[in-house]
Each structure stands twice: as structure tokens, then as C-alpha cells.
Amino acid sequence: MTLQSTKFSVPSEKWKYKSKRSERTRSAVIFIASIFLLIYVLAPVGWLLSSSFQSEAEIVSVPPHWLPHEPTMENFNAIFFQEFEEVTYETRRKVDPAAGGYIPSTAKDLLPSMWNSFIISVAVVILNLVVGVPAAYAMAKIRFWGRQASVYTILTTRVIPDIALVVPFFLVIKNLGLLDHVMSLIITYLAITVPFTVFILVSYFESLPDELDKAARVDGCSRLQTLIQVFLPLARPSLVAVMLFAFLTSWNEFLLALMFTQTIASQTLPIIVASFTSDFTISFSFINAAGVVAIIPPVILALFFERYIVSGLTAGAVKG
Amino acid sequence: MARILFDNVTKYYASVKAVDNLNLEIKDKEFLVLLGPSGCGKTTTLNMIAGLEELSKGDIYFDQQIVNFMPPHIRDVAMVFQSYALYPHKNVFENIGFGLKMRKYDTAEIDRRVRDAAERLHIEHLLDRLPSQLSGGQRQRVALGRAMVRQPSVFLMDEPLSNLDAALRISMRAEIKQLHHSMQTTFVYVTHDQAEALTLADRIVVMKDGVVQQIGSPDEIYERPENLFVGSFLGNPPINLLVGELVSDNAGVIFQKGRFKMEFQEEISTKLQPHIGKSVTLGIRPEDVNEQGAAVPGLSVSGTVNTVLPMGSEQYVSMTIEGTEAFFRLGKEHKHKGGDNISLDINRNRLHVFDQETERSLLWG
Amino acid sequence: MSGFYTGLKYTLARRFNYEARSAGLFLFPVMSVLAVVAVFPILYSLYTSFFNLKLTRPHRVPFVWFDNYVKVLSDELFWESVMRTVSFTVMSVVAILILALFIALLLNESFHGRRFISAMILIPWAIPTVANGLLWKWIYDSGYGALNGLLLQLGLIDKYVVWLGDPDKTIPLIANAFVWKEVPLAAILILVTMKSIPVDLYQAARVDGANLLQRFVHITLPSLKPGFMLVMIYETMMAIRHFDLFFLLTEGGPADASHVLSWQIYVETFRNLSFGTGSAMSYILALVTFALAYAIIKMLGRRI
């Protein structure tokens, strides 16, 4: 035994050496690629973050300060804590004394719009579950006439571009008397998120064995009880994914909100933030801080639930 | 009380007939086994009893009541599935008690029944476990327990033993039989395993392609198969089949295939009289032979042994009869090896003759 | 014993049995929501596209058959915007596919920090398009933007450039912002396909003496085809209909440099208030995406 291993030790050492070297090359390549990727992904956001901590005076320096030399929380203070008074010639200086810029009067809309976005997103998430879960269960486990057709109908509604639908959407909303009302966005967002919800949940429910469904029904569950007692507890990961997608879509949506909202009664965060960008009187640093505020909730959700998102995105999508 | 009656029941999947015009009465407290190869419609039949599949035509009665469109949760049936279908998120206690909970039994009663069932199945110590922490055999018991506690009027089982290993399967068979005894209710059991069917059943229904082939007690099914399919589906090793002709001889009607001849007993010979000249299949079960010294043409088979398969308690020998390989089961008192010449006396009481064209038995049915 | 349920009664009992009733009940909410907010608008939009509907004169709405379509299709501006949409789409999709492939290749390796990186790449995917627009508008800013600053510090330019003011650069720059946000999803989809390639395929190739490059060309690439197809179709759909960045970064400008089809629809309907021609354009766009989507639904829906 010992003899044999010594006999083979020379070539195997050589092999080891070679593989060690190629292992080192591999690590180096991976390391460099990772750095590049991280820079690509994070640098733009980092730059936004950095400039949101700069004062109006600092942000206009040439070349730009990559990191704030005198980091300031003023922009965020303005968003969250500023008493919004009418900005006058006298008051504007004290808001950002360093620059002489001022916080726009529309800035007071930022928090209410955030609240609107939150209410809308939460409502859309809840309605998605209420409306989407039973539909997905029915499509996955009940054999009924027209089942295939309903699956295709639901998927097809997502195919038409939103831009092509804004006019009729607009007319529907107008006829329902919901213009400039959060309900208008809740309904339309529900319509754009629910097909995806149904699709993900259908693939998940289908992956659960039919016999489980049968066992529950023989055990005395009605269809509704089977869904609630057996399938819902098992679908938790998919439900999390579905809730996240509905929330993120609603939080991030721009086009429809642009069309249906007119005042702060229904305007969402993206609308208010977008309105800053075309307002030349607003300081860049303040806009960037507003951008950061809009980014933080979805990014936190995405990072926290990364696993669910990835599995949800790939649910059944790329199999063979 | 639960008598189940299928009255001209047909089930289509799209255009495929899964069950074709089924007429069947399942008696109260009977142990009925649906036996057949996969895709024969036996599971569909079971599901129709449970209400899990709806029928395309005909009626199903529970006692006097038509239950065609009654959903499963209203029917008083319990079912054990091949994959056990335990609820992964519930522990053993909750799994067993779930059916009772859904039927609104009070907690004390559920507790009593679950513990009682667990004790009978020897799984009292597992009640807190999740299904994923159980072995295959234990899961099987939980599945049985889940059906047992309900004390249903019909107890359905869909290949409940086929995921177990061989030794466990045999001991579970005995337990299921025991269970039927103690529960005193109607059992309907689906399997493709003839041994299970023969050991468990009061009556067996053999199915193929959605059509019932034969209904009868295990003995009837085995001893008097009404057609070629039933004859060849049961028996291990399977029945030996020789295709030949019925001819008339001075001994009466005889079977002939080339130089091989087989005489029948007088009674059978009379029965076959009208079929002289017909092309038929002769069936000889491997065990229906006795070893004997000298060959008697017309009463025995003789030839050269091809192979010997020792099986421990017995042995199978194969020989070629007019181009067809046949297996016979012999005791171990004679040692044989390939190349030996032997001759075997056929037990002519137990021969089977099937019409070559219709495949129906010419002797029974 | 003849059947108790016969004829029509049987058929009705079957059609409205417990299963069908439950299915109906479960599907009713989703179907009614979609009927009101999706199916009706789709049909209504088709209907509008046959009328000369202008909100500037709401009381005279003549039915004009295919005039709107004819008008749109014979409009030079329309075709120019189609060409811009095409170039935006091609640019974006090609870039997305290439970048996503490299990211997927990286994340397919096992190394320290892989989980961290795969979490980080979700950031662009998660942020709102408005923030994405804001972000890149700020980066491209002619006075204080990061791009100018960086290039100047690296000595690649000698004075600040008005990036979004150059008609030749607008589309590529917007495409870049679009790609940055879309790449994570594409990479995840390709990575999943990559993970589904059986390992023994690589081992077999190794035994046959294939080197790293050969294994990549002969095994990885062909096996990735379904993933590529999916990403390509999906991202094409997204790029063709994309609106937000054009609105946020350039509003179709400078001059008409970023006047793409979706922007054209927006201008026609909401600035000129010509709902008829706007709808006609929408329908043309919809038909194109529909054709693409048909392919994707075939792929996604196959398992249902």
C-alpha cells in the first residue's frame, strides 16, 4: 500500500502543483470580475448616495467630490423634519445657507406622497393575495371547463404595453369617478400585478402533489378549506415572493401614476421625485436625497428577501 | 352500512375511455381488490368512489343514494394514497386528527381516537414528529391511521404498499387484513400486485383498458380465468401458453401443436367437443406438473432442460416445447441441470384452453 | 336501473357540479378585475382606434375605418420613431445578453462572497425607474455630473461635455441606463439555465480532451439557448415599450433624437389629445409585442 502511494507520488504532486496554479489564476480572474461587477452595480448608486450628503455648495464643485468633504444631513432633515413655510426671499437663505439654494415648496409633498405610495402598495399586495391565491389554486388543482383558456387570458393581459392602455385605463378610471384618487392606482396596479402573481402561484401549486389535494378533500375539506388548511401554509415562500413583486411594482410604477394623479391627494413618490427633476430651481443635492429616499425601501426589501425573489423570478420560467 | 353500486359507469379523459361501461356491486363490509396493469382504470374507479373524479356517464350509488355529483368532503369515505400524501406542515398527531377536526369532532374525542389509532399501529411515540422525520413504513402507518380514525363507511386504498420494501410489504399485508377484520367496513383496494390481491381480497375485479375482465373470489380468478388476459396476469412465474389446434382423436378431443399432443379428461373433452378444429391457446400453470419416470405421449411433457433456476425452497426448470419456452416448478428432491432429459406429468384437471381468436376461455365463463 | 340523471339535467348537473362552482367562485374576483381594468381597455382601445377621436373637439367623433392606421403608417415621423425604437432595442438587448452572460458565468462559480454579489446585483432591479432616471440624469449632467468629472480626471476629455445634448449620443446613453436596470433579471434567468446543465456533460467533454474554451463553446452556449431565448424575447418586449427613461432624461429631445415610438404615442395622445391616432399607434405597438409575447407565453405556459 505504502509502496504504491510513493510510486504514484511524483505525477500526483506535479498534478497538484499545476492545479494549484490554475486554481490561483481562477481566483484572480474571479476576484477581478467580482470587483468590476460590484463597481458597475454599486458605483451609480454610491454616487447618488454620496451627493445626497453634500451641500448645494459642495455638489457643484468641479471636478466633483466623490465623497462628501463635509457630509451634511440637511437634505434629509429637510425632507423629514423641515417645517415647511412659504419660502420667501428672507427665509430661503437659512435653509441652505452655504449655497443660497432653497428647499422647494413642493418638497412638503414628499412625505405625503411616500405615504400614498405605501398605502397603495400595501393595498395592492393584499388584494393580490385575496384575488390571486384562489384563482391560482383553481387553475392548478381544479379540472374545470375553460381552465387552459383562463390561464392564457390572464397571461395575455400582461402582454399589451401599458402605454397602449393608458387611454382606455384613463377613461375607465374617469367613468368610475376615481381620477386623482388612490383607488385608481390600486385598481390598475392590481390589474398589472395579478397576472404575474397568478402565474407564479400556479406553478408553485402545480408542483405540490395532486394526492395532497385529494387527501385533504377526502379528509373532509371543501375546496376553500383545502386551500386554506393545506396549500396556503405550504406556499409560504411563493407567497413571500408574490407579495414582494406586487409591492415593488406598485412602489416603483411611474407611467400610470403620471397619467391618473393630479394632486397630492393621490400622487405617489415617483411622481413627486420626477417633478423635482424638471424643476430647475431645486438643488441637485436635495433631488438626490429624494432619490435616495425612494430607493431605500425597495432595496432593503430586495436584499432582505433576496432568496425568495430569485426563486420567484425563476419559478418555472426557465425549465427546459 | 355501505354498499356501492356502479351502474353503467363510463369515464372519458378527453376522448380516451378510462373506464368503459362499468357495472359492479361492492357489498357491505367486503374487501374488494381492483387488480390490473397500470392504466387499466382501477385508480379512476377508486377516485370515482371517493368523488375525486366525476363520471362521464352512468350512476354511482351509495346504498340507495345516487352520489354522482357529491363532492368528496361530503362522502363518508377515507383513503390511503400510494405516496401517503401526508401534510408536510402538520405533525403526526395533526395529520391523523385532521379529518376529525374538519368534521368538527371535539378535541377530547379527537385526542382519544388519534391515540387509540396510534397505539394500534404502534406509532404512539411518533405523534410529535413531522412526516419528513419518518421512515417509509412509519409514514405508511400514519396514512393508515389518518383513514382509520374516521371510522368511515368506505375505506379506499390506492396501491398503499407499493412504496415499501419487500419484507415490510408482506407484514403490512397481514396488518391490513387484520384492520379489515376489526373495522367491519367496506374496503376497496387498488393494486397491480397479484400477490396482494390474492392474499387480501374477498373478491377481485380484474381490469384491463377500462374494461372489467373478471370478477370473482381469489380462487375463482386464479383457478378459472375466463380469458387469456386474466390467466396470464395472475401466476408467478406466469402461465405457460402454447398456441395450437383442437383435433379429434380416438381419445376424444386433444390439443395438438406440431408433435406435441395433450389429451383432456373426459369431462373437459366433452366441453370442447363443439370447438374441434379451432385454433386455441393451451395454458399450463408452472406448478401443475409432477415429475415422473417415463414419458407418456398425450399425458406428459418431456424434453431437454434448458436452464434451472433454483429458488431456495423449490426450483424452476425451463424447456422448449415445439419452439415455445415453458417454465415448470419442481420440488427440490430431484437435482437437475441444463441438458438433462426429463418428462413431467401434467395435472390435467387444471389445464386452461382459450379461444385463439376471442381469447375467451373455452372451459369457464 | 336506468340513469336517474338523464339528458339535459345530467349535462347541467355536470356543468355546474361542485368543482365547477368552486372554480367559478375562485376565479370570479380575478376575472372581474381583469375584465374591468384589462380586457375592457384593450377592446376599447381597439374601438377608439377606428374613430377620429380628439379631446380638443369631443363632440364630433366620426367613425373613420382604418384612416387612423393609414395616417399613422404614412407618417414619416412615425417611421423615424420606429427606427429609433429599433436601434434602442437592438442596442439594449445585445448589451443585456452579453453582460448577463458574463455575470451568470461569474455567479455560476463557487467562491467567497458569491452570495453577497448575487444579492448586490438585485439593487438596480429593485430601484424605481424614476430613481434610475434621476440617477443617470445626474451622472450625465453637463455641469456637475460624475461622467464628466471622471473622464476629465482620467484625462479622456479636456472639457465638460453636454452628453444628453448630443443627438448621436442620446439613444446609447439612455440605453445604457436601461441596460443597467435590466441586466440583473437577465443574469438571474441565464444563471438558472446554466445551473440546469448536467455536470456529467462537462466531465464527458473533459475526458474527450476539450479545453475550457471548447467546453464553453460546445456545451455551455448551446445549453443556454432556452434561457437566451427567454431573456431576448422578454427584454425586447420591455425595450420596445419603454417610456419612463425617455420622459425623465430627455423628453424626446434634443430635437427629435430620442423621439421613440412610446414617446410618440404619449405626445400624440396626451399632448395633441388625438386619442384615435394614439390608439392606432398603440395597437400597432401592441401587435408587435403580442407577436413576441406569443412566443414567450408558449415558453412560459408550456408547463401549465
Side-chain angles (χ1 to χ4, degrees):
Chain A
M1 218 53 208
T2 13
L3 195 72
Q4 257 189 350
S5 58
T6 27
K7 199 173 149 197
F8 285 108
S9 72
V10 178
S12 82
E13 272 307 305
K14 219 175 190 175
W15 160 250
K16 226 178 192 172
Y17 173 66
K18 193 186 167 193
S19 86
K20 212 175 210 168
R21 206 179 55 180
S22 71
E23 181 58 34
R24 219 173 280 153
T25 331
R26 178 179 165 274
S27 308
V29 169
I30 284 176
F31 182 75
I32 293 168
S34 308
I35 295 296
F36 269 106
L37 180 57
L38 280 179
I39 290 176
Y40 177 69
V41 169
L42 295 182
V45 184
W47 161 243
L48 187 77
L49 203 60
S50 159
S51 41
S52 71
F53 286 108
Q54 299 183 11
S55 65
E56 178 74 15
E58 191 175 1
I59 206 167
V60 294
S61 43
V62 177
H65 294 172
W66 299 115
L67 291 172
H69 294 185
E70 294 164 45
T72 168
M73 287 297 288
E74 257 177 56
N75 300 304
F76 293 101
N77 284 337
I79 292 171
F80 290 109
F81 306 113
Q82 193 73 27
E83 297 288 329
F84 284 99
E85 296 150 33
E86 207 57 36
V87 178
T88 64
Y89 184 79
E90 283 75 34
T91 55
R92 67 172 207 182
R93 287 208 160 262
K94 76 176 186 228
V95 177
D96 189 351
Y102 52 88
I103 301 299
S105 57
T106 43
K108 69 178 185 306
D109 291 342
L110 205 57
L111 283 185
S113 73
M114 210 167 166
W115 178 245
N116 282 343
S117 276
F118 180 74
I119 290 292
I120 291 170
S121 305
V122 169
V124 171
V125 167
I126 293 169
L127 286 174
N128 253 284
L129 295 183
V130 171
V131 164
V133 167
Y137 171 70
M139 287 177 186
K141 292 295 176 205
I142 305 182
R143 311 280 148 219
F144 59 94
W145 182 84
R147 173 168 158 272
Q148 197 76 27
S150 56
V151 175
Y152 280 104
T153 311
I154 286 188
L155 284 179
T156 309
T157 58
R158 256 345 277 136
V159 166
I160 315 284
D162 295 338
I163 183 92
L165 289 177
V166 281
V167 174
F169 264 167
F170 183 82
L171 293 171
V172 169
I173 294 301
K174 203 174 134 204
N175 287 333
L176 293 174
L178 293 176
L179 271 186
D180 202 26
H181 191 288
V182 285
M183 274 307 287
S184 66
L185 293 183
I186 292 176
I187 295 177
T188 42
Y189 290 177
L190 178 60
I192 56 179
T193 49
V194 89
F196 195 57
T197 298
V198 170
F199 177 71
I200 290 191
L201 289 178
V202 166
S203 13
Y204 188 78
F205 286 150
E206 281 203 330
S207 74
L208 295 173
D210 276 352
E211 287 198 341
L212 210 55
D213 183 58
K214 292 180 176 176
R217 288 159 61 210
V218 171
D219 258 347
C221 291
S222 67
R223 278 295 186 180
L224 188 63
Q225 287 168 323
T226 308
L227 171 58
I228 293 171
Q229 299 273 350
V230 177
F231 280 77
L232 272 192
L234 293 176
R236 211 173 298 150
S238 290
L239 290 177
V240 172
V242 154
M243 290 166 74
L244 277 170
F245 292 135
F247 188 92
L248 291 180
T249 309
S250 313
W251 183 270
N252 294 353
E253 206 283 335
F254 175 66
L255 177 65
L256 297 170
L258 183 67
M259 306 297 165
F260 300 158
T261 64
Q262 286 143 6
T263 69
I264 193 59
S266 65
Q267 279 172 325
T268 56
L269 188 57
I271 299 304
I272 296 299
V273 172
S275 75
F276 294 163
T277 63
S278 49
D279 184 345
F280 295 107
T281 61
I282 303 177
S283 103
F284 284 117
S285 51
F286 181 80
I287 297 178
N288 291 333
V292 169
V293 168
I295 284 177
I296 283 172
V299 166
I300 287 179
L301 283 179
L303 295 186
F304 196 76
F305 293 104
E306 180 236 342
R307 191 186 304 264
Y308 294 99
I309 290 175
V310 172
S311 66
L313 283 177
T314 53
V318 198
K319 268 216 166 154
Chain B
M1 245 311 268
R3 181 202 62 151
I4 301 163
L5 184 76
F6 283 82
D7 182 19
N8 289 312
V9 170
T10 297
K11 170 71 185 174
Y12 295 95
Y13 287 119
S15 58
V16 182
K17 263 187 194 172
V19 172
D20 189 4
N21 201 27
L22 175 66
N23 284 291
L24 172 66
E25 186 182 353
I26 303 170
K27 295 175 194 131
D28 187 32
K29 301 194 174 74
E30 173 177 41
F31 199 127
L32 185 96
V33 173
L34 298 169
L35 175 68
S38 60
C40 73
K42 56 192 193 303
T43 298
T44 307
T45 307
L46 196 72
N47 283 341
M48 286 193 291
I49 299 175
L52 294 168
E53 304 263 10
E54 73 174 24
L55 31 165
S56 310
K57 271 187 205 145
D59 297 305
I60 296 184
Y61 293 79
F62 279 16
D63 296 326
Q64 304 306 317
Q65 190 191 5
I66 289 186
V67 295
N68 293 5
F69 301 108
M70 187 190 278
H73 63 280
I74 300 174
R75 300 186 187 197
D76 189 18
V77 298
M79 191 158 170
V80 177
F81 295 88
Q82 179 173 4
S83 65
Y84 317 139
L86 303 180
Y87 310 117
H89 58 298
K90 296 184 189 292
N91 67 23
V92 170
F93 184 96
E94 291 163 336
N95 260 287
I96 298 178
F98 186 63
L100 298 173
K101 193 178 132 201
M102 294 318 293
R103 286 184 163 74
K104 308 237 164 17
Y105 281 78
D106 66 61
T107 337
E109 175 70 5
I110 294 177
D111 193 74
R112 194 185 63 72
R113 286 209 199 178
V114 171
R115 285 182 198 288
D116 186 44
E119 198 177 319
R120 276 169 64 184
L121 294 165
H122 314 293
I123 49 173
E124 312 98 300
H125 57 295
L126 302 173
L127 287 174
D128 294 328
R129 301 250 187 110
L130 287 174
S132 55
Q133 300 164 315
L134 302 179
S135 71
Q138 290 168 334
R139 287 180 204 185
Q140 167 66 53
R141 284 165 191 275
V142 176
L144 276 177
R146 186 168 67 178
M148 260 167 67
V149 285
R150 296 251 318 276
Q151 298 173 354
S153 50
V154 184
F155 205 106
L156 306 173
M157 299 190 177
D158 187 3
E159 309 241 10
L161 303 184
S162 61
N163 286 357
L164 297 179
D165 58 56
L168 204 50
R169 210 178 298 170
I170 291 179
S171 71
M172 282 309 287
R173 259 184 232 164
E175 289 197 35
I176 288 176
K177 197 151 190 173
Q178 186 70 42
L179 188 66
H180 177 240
H181 258 287
S182 58
M183 284 186 57
Q184 289 294 313
T185 129
T186 314
F187 273 48
V188 184
Y189 186 106
V190 161
T191 183
H192 65 271
D193 181 337
Q194 43 156 329
E196 268 172 38
L198 293 170
T199 39
L200 291 172
D202 292 332
R203 281 196 307 155
I204 295 175
V205 178
V206 184
M207 294 181 77
K208 182 199 170 202
D209 299 335
V211 180
V212 170
Q213 303 294 314
Q214 188 172 351
I215 304 176
S217 69
D219 278 351
E220 282 167 350
I221 298 279
Y222 189 78
E223 311 265 336
R224 295 198 288 280
E226 286 170 11
N227 62 37
L228 190 59
F229 174 77
V230 176
S232 55
F233 191 75
L234 286 102
N236 187 25
I239 192 168
N240 298 302
L241 298 169
L242 301 168
V243 179
E245 214 178 330
L246 287 180
V247 293
S248 167
D249 186 80
N250 33 13
V253 182
I254 66 158
F255 171 85
Q256 184 167 20
K257 175 187 171 75
R259 280 175 304 146
F260 175 77
K261 286 183 183 155
M262 180 57 58
E263 293 175 12
F264 297 102
Q265 283 185 325
E266 207 179 318
E267 194 187 329
I268 295 174
S269 179
T270 326
K271 241 185 198 172
L272 292 173
Q273 200 68 41
H275 302 290
I276 287 173
K278 257 190 191 165
S279 188
V280 296
T281 305
L282 178 73
I284 311 167
R285 294 240 183 244
E287 67 273 23
D288 293 340
V289 291
N290 290 308
E291 181 136 31
Q292 166 225 46
V296 184
L299 301 177
S300 61
V301 291
S302 52
T304 315
V305 173
N306 295 335
T307 45
V308 179
L309 306 173
M311 301 297 290
S313 58
E314 58 204 20
Q315 57 185 336
Y316 300 146
V317 298
S318 80
M319 60 170 73
T320 311
I321 304 171
E322 291 294 309
T324 308
E325 174 148 76
F327 283 87
F328 296 104
R329 188 164 81 192
L330 299 175
K332 298 222 298 184
E333 57 278 11
H334 301 277
K335 297 285 173 214
H336 293 298
K337 58 182 192 300
D340 286 2
N341 274 309
I342 56 168
S343 66
L344 303 170
D345 188 15
I346 303 282
N347 184 347
R348 289 178 303 141
N349 274 324
R350 304 173 70 99
L351 288 174
H352 303 274
V353 183
F354 303 102
D355 189 315
Q356 175 69 9
E357 213 173 301
T358 64
E359 299 193 344
R360 297 209 62 80
S361 171
L362 296 178
L363 306 179
W364 299 291
Chain C
M1 244 181 284
S2 76
F4 170 74
Y5 289 92
T6 46
L8 182 65
K9 200 172 163 191
Y10 200 108
T11 316
L12 284 176
R14 265 170 62 75
R15 195 54 96 219
F16 298 104
N17 67 1
Y18 179 74
E19 291 292 274
R21 290 198 310 270
S22 325
L25 197 68
F26 286 4
L27 285 172
F28 177 76
V30 85
M31 286 304 174
S32 43
V33 169
L34 288 178
V36 175
V37 226
V39 178
F40 170 75
I42 291 169
L43 297 178
Y44 188 81
S45 167
L46 181 64
Y47 173 81
T48 333
S49 71
F50 293 114
F51 288 87
N52 190 353
L53 174 62
K54 270 175 117 61
L55 279 204
T56 43
R57 32 142 247 258
H59 300 295
R60 213 158 50 80
V61 187
F63 181 69
V64 292
W65 289 104
F66 290 96
D67 272 14
N68 287 327
Y69 290 90
V70 173
K71 210 196 281 172
V72 166
L73 290 174
S74 56
D75 183 359
E76 219 167 285
L77 190 63
F78 172 79
W79 287 109
E80 282 170 16
S81 52
V82 167
M83 285 320 292
R84 288 190 202 98
T85 298
V86 169
S87 72
F88 172 76
T89 305
V90 171
M91 239 178 256
S92 306
V93 173
V94 170
I96 288 171
L97 283 176
I98 295 173
L99 275 171
L101 174 63
F102 279 112
I103 295 175
L105 279 173
L106 176 65
L107 294 181
N108 198 33
E109 297 295 319
S110 59
F111 59 92
H112 261 306
R114 191 187 64 81
R115 282 202 55 80
F116 174 74
I117 292 181
S118 41
M120 284 301 131
I121 63 161
L122 279 180
I123 290 178
W125 172 80
I127 70 173
T129 39
V130 166
N132 187 32
L134 181 79
L135 181 61
W136 288 96
K137 195 176 186 182
W138 177 229
I139 290 173
Y140 295 150
D141 191 84
S142 58
Y144 318 106
L147 185 60
N148 273 327
L150 185 69
L151 293 181
L152 192 74
Q153 281 184 331
L154 293 175
L156 293 173
I157 51 172
D158 34 329
K159 64 175 183 5
Y160 273 21
V161 177
V162 187
W163 295 105
L164 289 172
D166 182 343
D168 293 334
K169 298 202 180 82
T170 333
I171 296 257
L173 288 173
I174 296 177
N176 176 53
F178 178 76
V179 169
W180 183 76
K181 185 162 167 49
E182 292 292 325
V183 141
L185 175 61
I188 288 171
L189 294 177
I190 290 180
L191 180 63
V192 177
T193 332
M194 216 176 260
K195 288 229 164 94
S196 70
I197 304 174
V199 185
D200 42 359
L201 227 55
Y202 287 101
Q203 286 165 345
R206 243 179 160 141
V207 170
D208 289 342
N211 65 26
L212 188 70
L213 185 67
Q214 286 168 325
R215 292 201 296 269
F216 177 73
V217 172
H218 293 291
I219 298 173
T220 314
L221 279 186
S223 316
L224 286 181
K225 206 176 143 201
F228 269 135
M229 285 299 291
L230 182 76
V231 169
M232 204 167 84
I233 297 170
Y234 175 78
E235 294 299 347
T236 305
M237 278 171 60
M238 297 317 277
I240 285 185
R241 65 168 67 171
H242 194 74
F243 170 80
D244 299 5
L245 286 172
F246 294 98
F247 179 91
L248 293 161
L249 286 179
T250 57
E251 302 213 4
D256 279 340
S258 59
H259 196 110
V260 291
L261 188 51
S262 57
W263 181 254
Q264 164 87 355
I265 294 175
Y266 173 75
V267 170
E268 190 71 13
T269 26
F270 291 95
R271 301 227 168 137
N272 303 344
L273 298 176
S274 303
F275 281 21
T277 40
S279 294
M281 268 186 249
S282 304
Y283 249 83
I284 294 167
L285 177 63
L287 283 179
V288 175
T289 22
F290 194 83
L292 287 167
Y294 182 73
I296 209 171
I297 289 183
K298 275 269 162 201
M299 293 171 80
L300 292 178
R302 192 172 37 200
R303 284 180 59 251
I304 299 180

